[in-house]
Amino acid sequence: MIAYAWLVPLLPLVAYIFLLALGRRAPEGVVSSVSVALTFVSFLLSAAVFVAVGSHPEAATSYVFHWLTLGSRSLDVGFSVTHLNALMLLVVTLVSTLVLLFSREYMRGDERFAVFYQYLNLFVFSMLALVISPNLLQLYIFWEMVGLCSYLLVGFWYFKPEAAAAAKKSFVVTRIGDAGLLAGIILLFLASGSFDDSTIFAKVAGHSLSLGWISGQALTTLAAILVFVGAIGKSAQFPLHVWLPDAMEGPTPVSALIHAATMVAAGVYLVARLFPLFAASPAALTTVAWIGGVTALLAALIALTQRDIKRVIAYSTISQLGYMMLALGVGAYAYGVFHLMTHAFFKALLFLAAGSVIHAVHTQDLFEMGGLGRRMPITMWTFLAGALALAGVVPFAGFWSKDDILNATLQTGHPVLFVFALVAAFCTAFYIFRVFFLTFTGEPRPAAQLQHTEWSEAGEGGPVMQVPLVVLAVLATVAGFFNSPLNGYGLERYLFADAPTGAGVLGRTFPENVGLMAVSVVVSLLGIGLAAAMYWRPVIRPASLANGLRLLYVVSYRKFFLDEIYGAAVVGTGRFLAALVNAVDRYVIAVIVRAVGRIFYAAGLFLKYTQTGQIQTYGVVAGCGLLIVVVIAIFRAGGVL
Amino acid sequence: MGITFWMVLMPILAGLLVLLIPRTGEVAHRLLALLGALAALVLACVAWARFDYHATGFQQVSSLHWFTLPSLWHGASGSGLGGLEIGLAFGVDGLSLGLVLLTGVIGLLAVLAARPAERTREYFFWQSCVVAGLYGVFSALNVFTFAVALELTLFAMFFLLYLFGQGRRQFAAMQFLLYRGLATVPLLAAFVGLAYGAVGGYAATAGAITDHSLTLDVPTLLHVLPSASAQMLPASIRHVLFLCLLLAVFVEEAFVPFHTWLPTAHEAADPATSMLLGGLLTKTGAYALLRFGVGMMPGEVRHFGTLLAVFGVINILYGAFAAWAQADWRRLIAFSSISHMGLVLLGIAAFNAAGLQGAMFLLVSSGLLTALLFFLVGAIAERTSTSRIAELGGLSRRMPVLSGLLLVAALGSLGLPLTSGFVSEVQAFIGSFGSFPAVSFVALLGVILSAVYLLQAMQRTTFGPLLPAYGRLYDASPGESILAGLLVAMVLFIGIYPKVIGDLFGLTVNALLGMGG
């Protein structure tokens, strides 16, 4: 079975090519049916691969083919199945199938319906190909390909200026990270002679990673941090997180699939996949942990005050990805991956439920919603499941994975990061239930009723939209048991089978801490309680609280002014340099060129007087010249010169 | 006469026949030029099909002797066995063949893309001359042939610009002629110096060459010079010769600060001429640097390696920042091409397998992508009457196909994986990180900047609301779609399966690095 794993990414590629051949006017039913069917088969295959790898770990291996010769080195492409990859294949195909199904209804009637499905299929293919890449070069290739799909889908409604700007921003900001990643894998290639993970790990383990200009340990740290820069860009970690909220300009199914469940998790996947490299450098691990912890807190603080439902969930994604990085950074490999999995389910659910709401009421402003629970019960209950999972309430999925991360952070001796994570957990519970109460409870806002005539018809989408919501809600509820004590930590055992060189390289497990579990649940419930007190049964008036904490409110609402700071510092500097170079080009170099031209011209003006046309003059000049030559020749012959 | 000779001759024959057709036979002019370009491409493909990947040296050699300059006349009668042979000689190795095929493709497509409003006879004559000259440059097997072919492209391109350009065409054409014309002076100086330098070096190559006379033969010079020049010429003279060559290369490649002619020329040129200029003519300098610099003066390339690398980075960044500031698509593409050529210089400076192979890949990739970009921008400008970015907007609405193709071209140009741009850049960077890590980190900024300026231009051209003035525009015609589609297909093919040209270039790379065939 494992030898056929290449079929998993191939089927979405087939779907893409098929849709491309059908053209942009293909009937919606055909387009969506083919896409969903092929991706679903991919999912079934992934499940088979997942089981096969679990039962025959020794069969997990790479299959490569020659791609390009570089001097004496051969660069290969192919595919590779490990336990981590098998898990990722399963998660990606599952969420993809559901989102493709959901989009059937959500995108109905869009004039570029077929194009939307083309892009989605291309994305699914690229993401799956990224996951089963046998080496870092191929991984980088598809790493950029998923970025391209993200660019195309964020800018799907290209005629909206905000969408066009957001698409460019997402590509350029992640490209900054990609440049780091490229440098990192090139250094690893130069130092180890291969792009192949296992070769690199062997060299790292043997301390034989070396280049002439840098010591082995410093090189390990440098390469790991450069790779991590790529992960910062892709996984929207501070300070490169600014593109993800803007990316919400894309259609909501895209936000669910690409900007929550799969692509943005690729950065976490990358760090997990190269964990043996990071583990060899304490400095790199510390960097990962701190970036993750800071991001988790920062994004959670921003999410507290946003008015746009999708932006709240987007900042929530950034924050949760921060948790995953934190887990990897403190050495809890399995927990980072575990949280990646649970998050994929409950965050896709939250986005799709939000999509269902937006589909019904045609607004994204939380303060124009309200009272939707009565009209959309399925959306409300499934959203609630997702919110409870995100908030980390027992026994929903997010509880198990987040508690593991808090536990590991504390036990590895990172008290500051632990506090960050705990505060972020409180904020998380608050902001997601703020969304829940504002959207589904209370009365419809008067302003909304006036502005949106469709309001009275707002209701559930068809079954095509409800099935994915229900499936994901079930997963958001139960997926946590996969790695709970009740299941004997099944996921950890599964993942640790990848350990390349003996136990310990993939981090360790941490004994359960029941007291901490209680604390984390209490913190979550406090957050939910505060949200309820403000937005459900208003005991505390939000406006007066915002006024009371004016400064903090503004800082959070304006996202710590990071967009403005970057706009001035980075973009401003770039534009200034561009203008400077252009000015130099136009007013310095061009002027010099013209001056040189004038010298030649002036020389011509002067020299033209030598062209008198008088034979006598020419004769005299020529005679003088000949005389000089002869004199020199005589002197030379005589040995004088 | 071998096929390489006929390959060069075909476009010239077609051009001469065009002159025989009366002024009004416009269809016949185009058809003849097309046949000439097609015949040359077919012959190039035959040369490719017959190419032996296990042989070393040049293949499909064809030479035409003209006259012999007695050794008494040129003075270099060190051993006095024979005269200096002057004539034409053509042949291909891996590097040549790659660029010859590129010439074939772009030469043919440029004929198809050409839309001269009047005087088609002159247009297609000069265009055929440019194509023939380019075939000659990339397959020349002696220095004399190389120089003649280069001069042919110079004059023919001058007339294309001068007679058929737009805007400041006369200024642009004169600037083009002066810059590239003056560049031949140091180039010839370097050639003469190399030829004389080689004479004294025969003894060093232990009997491999029996005829110890002055020669312009490229294979002989390639064989003798790398070892001989080190022993026979003083270092100072070798350095001067190399710097002469480098000066010529800088002008031909439009490297900063000798670049002003290129954006001006592109602004004035019609789209088909821009395809030839940006796709092929700006690759001749880099070819000369690889053939004569790396091939004949490897010691000097290493000696000046850091200088080359620094200049490479300056070009990458200068080109990228300048492109960011441009208000016109054609100037933007010109500066973008300057930026890419900076990476070529960096790859060559690295002087290792990855760097050299990456540089060669970049020549082909940049050739295809630059030609594609100019073709598409020309097609858009034909409809909107402008290529100024600020005057465009929302074109996707009316022209989804042209906009999509432009996006592919832009993405290839910014080095997106699975396009030729990526596989070229990654090799060049692997090479440069191997030799100049610090410089390479700075060069990576170019990777980010190319995304900035290209996607910003895309955002303002095809995204956003459609401007009212463009409400009635029509999308790409089938002919335009096929033409651009062919270029896109090649860009993707090289990106997905680079081995095909990688094996070609690998041969020359191994020869240049002295690893044998």
Side-chain angles (χ1 to χ4, degrees), chain A residues 66-67 69-71 111 140-141 144 148 151 158-159 164-165 168 171 175 179 183 190 213 574 578 582 585 589 593, chain B residues 179 259 318 321 324-326 335 353 357 396-397 411 414 417 422 427 434 437 444 447 455 459 463-465 496 498-499:
Chain A
H66 179 57
W67 191 56
T69 310
L70 210 56
E111 58 175 336
Y140 183 85
I141 287 175
E144 291 247 304
L148 166 70
Y151 170 79
Y158 59 88
F159 40 84
K168 183 193 72 175
F171 195 96
R175 184 96 172 165
L190 290 170
W213 49 277
N582 198 34
D585 205 65
I589 295 186
V593 167
Chain B
Y179 261 96
H259 65 283
Y318 189 101
F321 276 117
W324 191 356
Q326 295 312 309
F335 277 109
Q357 191 164 310
S396 277
R397 173 69 73 184
L411 291 170
L414 64 81
F422 170 74
Q427 292 179 75
L444 270 180
V447 171
L455 293 187
Q459 181 195 347
F463 288 77
I496 293 170
K499 191 172 166 350

Side-chain angles (χ1 to χ4, degrees), chain A residues 320 339 342-343 345-347 349-350 382-403 428-429 432-433 472-480 524 528:
Chain A
Q320 296 299 309
H339 198 55
T342 58
H343 175 259
F345 297 141
F346 66 69
K347 191 51 66 69
L349 168 62
L350 288 172
T382 51
F383 190 97
L384 184 62
L388 287 169
L390 173 62
V393 174
V394 125
F396 291 87
F399 162 74
W400 301 101
S401 49
K402 187 160 69 179
D403 177 68
T428 306
I432 198 61
F433 274 88
L472 285 170
V474 171
L475 285 169
T477 310
V478 303
S524 296
I528 296 172

Side-chain angles (χ1 to χ4, degrees), chain A residues 187-419:
Chain A
L187 289 183
L188 287 172
F189 172 76
L190 290 170
S192 72
S194 172
F195 284 113
D196 191 49
D197 304 31
S198 52
T199 312
I200 293 170
F201 295 159
K203 296 262 181 187
V204 170
H207 301 286
S208 53
L209 209 60
S210 69
L211 285 175
W213 49 277
I214 189 169
S215 76
Q217 184 59 36
L219 178 65
T220 308
T221 302
L222 179 66
I225 287 181
L226 284 170
V227 167
F228 182 56
V229 169
I232 289 177
K234 203 58 122 194
S235 289
Q237 298 293 287
F238 175 81
L240 295 181
H241 64 280
V242 289
W243 66 271
L244 187 59
D246 289 27
M248 297 300 126
E249 291 294 339
T252 306
V254 170
S255 309
L257 177 61
I258 300 182
H259 302 121
T262 57
M263 185 191 82
V264 289
V268 178
Y269 165 75
L270 177 67
V271 176
R273 178 176 167 148
L274 292 183
F275 195 78
L277 172 70
F278 283 86
S281 165
L285 273 186
T286 309
T287 311
V288 174
W290 274 92
I291 294 279
V294 168
T295 307
L297 181 60
L298 181 82
L301 289 173
I302 295 174
L304 293 176
T305 55
Q306 299 304 308
R307 288 177 65 108
D308 182 318
I309 182 169
K310 284 182 74 179
R311 290 200 175 237
V312 176
I313 309 179
Y315 277 106
S316 161
T317 304
I318 296 172
S319 172
Q320 296 299 309
L321 292 166
Y323 273 105
M324 299 172 209
M325 290 296 187
L326 173 62
L328 295 171
V330 299
Y333 167 79
Y335 298 160
V337 178
F338 181 34
H339 198 55
L340 190 166
M341 183 188 84
T342 58
H343 175 259
F345 297 141
F346 66 69
K347 191 51 66 69
L349 168 62
L350 288 172
F351 263 118
L352 290 186
S356 179
V357 169
I358 296 164
H359 188 67
V361 301
H362 301 282
T363 177
Q364 296 182 194
D365 190 336
L366 286 170
F367 291 90
E368 293 181 6
M369 298 175 182
L372 285 170
R374 285 187 298 281
R375 295 180 187 278
M376 310 175 73
I378 293 178
T379 305
M380 181 183 79
W381 288 112
T382 51
F383 190 97
L384 184 62
L388 287 169
L390 173 62
V393 174
V394 125
F396 291 87
F399 162 74
W400 301 101
S401 49
K402 187 160 69 179
D403 177 68
D404 280 345
I405 295 172
L406 288 172
N407 186 15
T409 309
L410 193 61
Q411 290 196 25
T412 50
H414 295 88
V416 179
L417 288 173
F418 173 76
V419 172

Side-chain angles (χ1 to χ4, degrees), chain A residues 561-573:
Chain A
F561 298 95
L562 284 172
D563 270 318
E564 287 79 3
I565 293 169
Y566 291 171
V570 182
V571 183
T573 311

Side-chain angles (χ1 to χ4, degrees), chain B residues 414-454:
Chain B
L414 64 81
L416 192 83
L418 301 189
T419 69
S420 58
F422 170 74
V423 68
S424 312
E425 286 187 12
V426 79
Q427 292 179 75
F429 273 115
I430 291 173
S432 75
F433 267 100
S435 298
F436 302 103
V439 174
S440 304
F441 273 110
V442 182
L444 270 180
L445 198 54
V447 171
I448 299 167
L449 288 172
S450 63
V452 173
Y453 63 75
L454 281 164

